[in-house]
Amino acid sequence: MKSSFSDEHLVFPTRYPIGIEIVRAEGVYLYDKEGKAYLDLISGIAVSALGHKHPRIWEAVQKQIASYAHVMVYGDLLLSPQRDYAKALCGSLPKGLDKVFFISSGSEAVELGLKLAKKHSRRSRLIAFEGAYHGSTHGALSVTGSQKLRMPFMPLLPDVLHLRFGVLEDLEKLDSDVACVLIEPVQAENGIRSASLDYFKELRQRTQDLGILLIVDEIQTGLGRTGYVWAFQELGFVPDLLLSAKALGGGFPLGAVIGSAEIMEKIAQKPSFGHISTFGGHPLSCAAGHAVLQIVQSDSFLTEVRNKANLFREQLSHHKAIREFRQSGLLMAIELHSKEDLHDSILPSFWKKGLMVDGFLFCPGAIRLAPPLILSSEEILSTCQKIKEILDPI
Ligand code: PMP
């Protein structure tokens, strides 16, 4: 029962678009044309951390739009929404991560991170990981760890090496020709895969010893998603560059690269304008994102996220249809025993029951759950009950 939805003029990047038209979204619910409610279990892929139409975001955006929406963001004018948000972001981070460059998306954050690494180190080799997703632009695709996605667009960036994620012996391939190692704290599109604390410790040590920049892609994991403001905080290392996007803009397009002044200011030197972006750090996105950070960084909010994550685990880890339940906070994968294509009938049965879920790019047998962090415990219990009822006959 794959979706046969198509549109006369719109192009979709998938052969199986869901095809449900959402006309309104509020709190943790999406509503279609017929008024049917769907519990949002994906948050626009880890974007809507506070759900939809959150009053604090709403207020911040209205206040900002009453002053101005867009003026010029190339760094010539001082924009208070950018300045205030950058200060708050750096306040949520360890020392050394104290300069922010705002752009518009995750892929663009990856592009800028790679460019900064090459310019800072004067080296060319880029190391990334099999199973990693870093974006769809040429540079970000070059470091994405899927041959299948990369092949049709070759040649991509030269001198890129993909290692196996979490495999200690592969770190022996690091040497002084390497500009940077780009890593996700949890491989999201690979179906929520983690690596050990020892692995991250060794990676940090080796990159430091060899003068390699360690870049962490927190585009999907940042802003409280894993139960920490930033996922690396749980893993016990501090990166040289932090990449963020998705939830960073509170539902509006925004990306950021954050690092030390020494590294970040290279983008303005020889030549200046080493990276510019017309909409980067858009005032409305900064105002909305700042409202999100103010809420998600509180200890009590983060404790609740971790408690909610535990509740999902308790409810879902022991069902006969589930091969493995993996999670990092409220970023979760339900991997099924079934070899059936999820799009045939499994995902449609979730949608029919009013649960908005989808799959992963690189993990065909797994269902993604990344609900708004504000989902209540009662909603989690009733959702898990519905999920189990859907999975019972599988
Ligand atoms: N990195 C990661 C870990 C991602 O999950 C994504 C988006 N799924 C990207 C980079 C690319 O972000 P964007 O789609 O905003 O370009």
Side-chain angles (χ1 to χ4, degrees), residues 277-298:
S277 178
T278 298
F279 289 111
H282 194 284
L284 295 181
S285 309
C286 286
H290 193 174
V292 175
L293 180 66
Q294 282 169 341
I295 291 175
V296 303
Q297 71 182 349
S298 96

Side-chain angles (χ1 to χ4, degrees), residues 163 167-175 202 206 210:
L163 307 183
V167 178
L168 268 170
E169 67 206 64
D170 280 17
L171 298 183
E172 279 158 27
K173 303 219 169 97
L174 303 187
D175 61 25
E202 183 64 22
R206 281 190 187 226
L210 291 160

Side-chain angles (χ1 to χ4, degrees), residues 272-387:
S272 50
F273 299 120
H275 193 93
I276 47 178
S277 178
T278 298
F279 289 111
H282 194 284
L284 295 181
S285 309
C286 286
H290 193 174
V292 175
L293 180 66
Q294 282 169 341
I295 291 175
V296 303
Q297 71 182 349
S298 96
D299 285 342
S300 59
F301 187 92
L302 293 168
T303 305
E304 264 191 52
V305 172
R306 296 197 287 268
N307 291 341
K308 291 174 194 179
N310 290 339
L311 196 52
F312 266 108
R313 169 166 288 282
E314 277 162 34
Q315 291 294 312
L316 292 179
S317 31
H318 304 291
H319 188 282
K320 65 173 177 39
I322 300 177
R323 197 167 80 78
E324 195 173 26
F325 175 81
R326 292 185 295 272
Q327 79 182 146
S328 176
L330 289 178
L331 195 54
M332 298 168 279
I334 303 176
E335 182 151 9
L336 303 177
H337 287 292
S338 167
K339 294 275 170 273
E340 179 191 328
D341 184 335
L342 287 183
H343 291 89
D344 279 341
S345 69
I346 297 174
L347 292 181
S349 54
F350 277 77
W351 304 329
K352 222 181 277 164
K353 252 193 168 359
L355 301 179
M356 185 52 72
V357 293
D358 74 345
F360 292 95
L361 272 177
F362 307 142
C363 191
I367 299 158
R368 179 205 309 268
L369 299 181
L373 309 180
I374 56 163
L375 195 73
S376 70
S377 299
E378 295 70 39
E379 282 159 340
I380 293 172
L381 288 174
S382 64
T383 302
C384 290
Q385 186 53 39
K386 283 189 195 166
I387 293 177

Side-chain angles (χ1 to χ4, degrees), residues 45 105-108 110 133-135 184 189 217 219-220 245-246:
I45 314 298
S105 72
S107 298
E108 202 187 350
V110 173
Y133 180 73
H134 295 297
E184 292 169 89
E189 292 306 325
D217 177 341
I219 288 162
Q220 194 151 167
K246 289 189 178 278

Side-chain angles (χ1 to χ4, degrees), residues 139-155:
L141 182 59
S142 305
V143 283
T144 285
S146 157
Q147 279 261 19
K148 195 171 146 197
L149 273 189
R150 290 196 312 265
M151 280 317 279
F153 304 102
M154 297 299 250

Side-chain angles (χ1 to χ4, degrees), residues 119-185:
K119 195 150 188 284
H120 177 77
S121 66
R122 296 166 193 255
R123 303 173 185 175
S124 62
R125 182 159 310 146
L126 309 172
I127 298 238
F129 294 87
E130 290 167 9
Y133 180 73
H134 295 297
S136 283
T137 51
H138 267 79
L141 182 59
S142 305
V143 283
T144 285
S146 157
Q147 279 261 19
K148 195 171 146 197
L149 273 189
R150 290 196 312 265
M151 280 317 279
F153 304 102
M154 297 299 250
L156 292 168
L157 282 184
D159 215 1
V160 176
L161 189 63
H162 288 94
L163 307 183
R164 290 170 297 172
F165 181 70
V167 178
L168 268 170
E169 67 206 64
D170 280 17
L171 298 183
E172 279 158 27
K173 303 219 169 97
L174 303 187
D175 61 25
S176 54
D177 290 332
V178 176
C180 67
V181 173
L182 171 62
I183 194 163
E184 292 169 89

